[in-house]
Amino acid sequence: MNQDTICAIATAQGGAIGSIRVSGPEAISITSRIFKPGKSNKKFNEQKPYTLTFGRIYNEEEIIDEVLVSLFRSPHSYTGEDCTEITCHGSSYILQQVMQLLIKNGCRMAQPGEYTQRAFLNGKMDLSQAEAVADLIASSSAATHRLAMSQMRGGFSKELTDLRGKLLDFTSMVELELDFSEEDVEFADRQALRQLADEIEEVISRLVNSFNVGNAIKNGIPVAIIGETNAGKSTLLNVLLNEDKAIVSNIHGTTRDVIEDTVNMSGITFRFIDTAGIRETNDTIESLGIERTFQKLDQAEIVLWMIDATDANSQIIQLSEKILPRCEGKHLIVIFNKAEIIHETQKDSLRTLFQQNFSQEHTDMIFISAKQKLHTDELEKMLVNVAHLPNITQNDIIVTNVRHYEALTKALEAIHRVQEGLDMQISGDFLSQDIREVIFHISDIAGEVTNDMVLQNIFRNFCIGK
């Protein structure tokens, strides 16, 4: 792969300026064939690195555009290869003409993520840093930006490298004992190894436990909107998203599947999930939708139970046994909807009803009118207050990647076996195997043992040109 010279448009369509990246062993010579510097006495392939040269792109004698071309020589570039970047006008016609000329002269169209993949393969960054590039591009809030920057700067990699180094030192001592097994000597201090195992277990546990926060920051805190049919769930979703995402109708059972979308409130991303109304039905499709409702309820961190304020007592009696047991450990907000059509005395009765039926912790209530957008701003403030996300800085190490989480979970299981083995005073060969397994899973995060299939799955989700 690295023997090819690749090119790709690196900027989105519609801007005044467009950029084309070229990387590979022939990047400079291929660019020289289509680009002539403005000063006739200059040759582009003789320019110093980190320079910007003005000139024109030619298709034989025809001028395509006046451009600026930057030059980077291996290994001092993003990919670690010879690179050029052609900055031209943002016309899609001009960009395509330049791309065609590059391909005609020996370039190949880059695959998604191929520039960053080459940077990884050429040792410019480890795999966790490469994955952070995609997270940085996709960041949509200050928190996701800070997490991606921290990972891309190598904070996560450094912590794992330190752990790996300590484990390698110890496993080498344990394995040395195996060479002198007949002499019955111990080179590795078991007490010191136990202290190290405890230290590593604490660090890995902290990283594993941080995934819930990291996943919420990256993908949004999951908020399930549940309740009976026609309680106003879809109307509320549309209000929170400020768009007509869900179909609203007075016909029961309109929403038969799960509808999801995200919105940012006060710097926190929420992933709202509108679910099928819960009721007894013989409709097969609607029944499947209700089954998915309970699945999403189990996955949510915050639950919005929409109750029609004009029929609240009946709905609470019918659904409490189905909903409340699934809300343990979650924050439940009981929403009495259609508050504009009930009197203040009825609201007092509903407050009493709430106190009688919702005694568990982390439960709030609010009166709103989703249709008239009454008190929906107060609901948004309530959601922000109950989110309880920590303030994130670029120095915080929080796991946001599912692949990293799985590797760390396996490493945690292996270090637990090391601790148990030390307590049971098992032989060094068994200890060595478990320590090696911890090292393997930690190394997998940085990409030191990752196979080609994993690499393909990671980089195919990147943008073309990055």
Side-chain angles (χ1 to χ4, degrees), residues 20 120 181 189 247 286 313 338 357 407:
I20 293 174
F120 163 67
S181 56
D189 183 343
I247 297 173
E286 189 178 351
N313 193 52
K338 305 179 184 179
N357 289 274

Side-chain angles (χ1 to χ4, degrees), residues 204-272:
I204 295 177
S205 293
R206 172 171 54 79
L207 292 173
V208 168
N209 292 334
S210 74
F211 179 72
N212 285 337
V213 173
N215 191 49
I217 292 172
K218 183 177 179 180
N219 298 314
I221 298 172
V223 181
I225 307 174
I226 63 167
E228 275 200 5
T229 56
N230 271 20
K233 300 183 299 298
S234 296
T235 303
L236 177 62
L237 177 71
N238 291 340
V239 170
L240 293 170
L241 299 178
N242 199 28
E243 65 171 298
D244 292 334
K245 184 80 174 181
I247 297 173
V248 176
S249 169
N250 59 3
I251 301 172
H252 289 270
T254 303
T255 302
R256 297 185 170 206
D257 203 352
V258 171
I259 300 173
E260 296 188 32
D261 209 342
T262 58
V263 67
N264 192 291
M265 297 178 181
S266 301
I268 300 173
T269 302
F270 292 91
R271 188 170 78 253
F272 290 106

Side-chain angles (χ1 to χ4, degrees), residues 137-360:
I137 294 170
S139 62
S140 57
S141 67
T144 53
H145 171 263
R146 291 190 190 106
L147 287 178
M149 282 300 300
S150 173
Q151 189 172 323
M152 199 169 76
R153 290 165 57 201
F156 184 38
S157 302
K158 184 180 184 305
E159 184 148 13
L160 294 179
T161 300
D162 291 343
L163 293 180
R164 181 176 175 274
K166 293 176 181 178
L167 281 168
L168 281 172
D169 289 342
F170 249 102
T171 193
S172 63
M173 297 300 291
V174 172
E175 290 178 0
L176 185 61
E177 293 175 4
L178 302 179
D179 295 333
F180 295 89
S181 56
E182 295 180 1
E183 283 78 2
D184 193 26
V185 296
E186 285 189 358
F187 293 102
D189 183 343
R190 293 299 192 270
Q191 185 176 356
L193 180 55
R194 177 63 208 231
Q195 290 175 351
L196 176 61
D198 291 344
E199 176 190 337
I200 290 172
E201 191 270 343
E202 183 180 349
V203 173
I204 295 177
S205 293
R206 172 171 54 79
L207 292 173
V208 168
N209 292 334
S210 74
F211 179 72
N212 285 337
V213 173
N215 191 49
I217 292 172
K218 183 177 179 180
N219 298 314
I221 298 172
V223 181
I225 307 174
I226 63 167
E228 275 200 5
T229 56
N230 271 20
K233 300 183 299 298
S234 296
T235 303
L236 177 62
L237 177 71
N238 291 340
V239 170
L240 293 170
L241 299 178
N242 199 28
E243 65 171 298
D244 292 334
K245 184 80 174 181
I247 297 173
V248 176
S249 169
N250 59 3
I251 301 172
H252 289 270
T254 303
T255 302
R256 297 185 170 206
D257 203 352
V258 171
I259 300 173
E260 296 188 32
D261 209 342
T262 58
V263 67
N264 192 291
M265 297 178 181
S266 301
I268 300 173
T269 302
F270 292 91
R271 188 170 78 253
F272 290 106
I273 309 161
D274 181 23
T275 60
I278 303 170
R279 65 167 179 166
E280 296 296 328
T281 178
N282 295 321
D283 188 302
T284 304
I285 302 299
E286 189 178 351
S287 296
L288 289 173
I290 294 170
E291 184 180 332
R292 291 188 181 184
T293 293
F294 289 115
Q295 291 174 358
K296 292 298 180 181
L297 174 56
D298 292 337
Q299 297 169 12
E301 291 187 20
I302 300 174
V303 178
L304 305 183
W305 183 359
M306 292 284 287
I307 298 175
D308 185 338
T310 62
D311 188 29
N313 193 52
S314 171
Q315 293 187 22
I316 290 173
I317 291 172
Q318 291 179 20
L319 298 184
S320 287
E321 291 184 1
K322 294 180 179 180
I323 293 176
L324 291 182
R326 295 174 182 265
C327 291
E328 290 185 13
K330 309 177 189 296
H331 200 108
L332 172 63
I333 300 178
V334 178
I335 302 173
F336 292 109
N337 191 30
K338 305 179 184 179
E340 79 281 10
I341 57 177
I342 62 173
H343 301 294
E344 194 61 39
T345 53
Q346 291 174 290
K347 289 183 180 180
D348 290 336
S349 299
L350 290 175
R351 291 186 183 97
T352 303
L353 185 66
F354 172 80
Q355 292 171 357
Q356 292 172 346
N357 289 274
F358 301 96
S359 57
Q360 64 265 43

Side-chain angles (χ1 to χ4, degrees), residues 127-139:
L127 192 56
S128 68
Q129 290 173 297
E131 289 169 296
V133 173
D135 289 341
L136 187 65
I137 294 170
S139 62

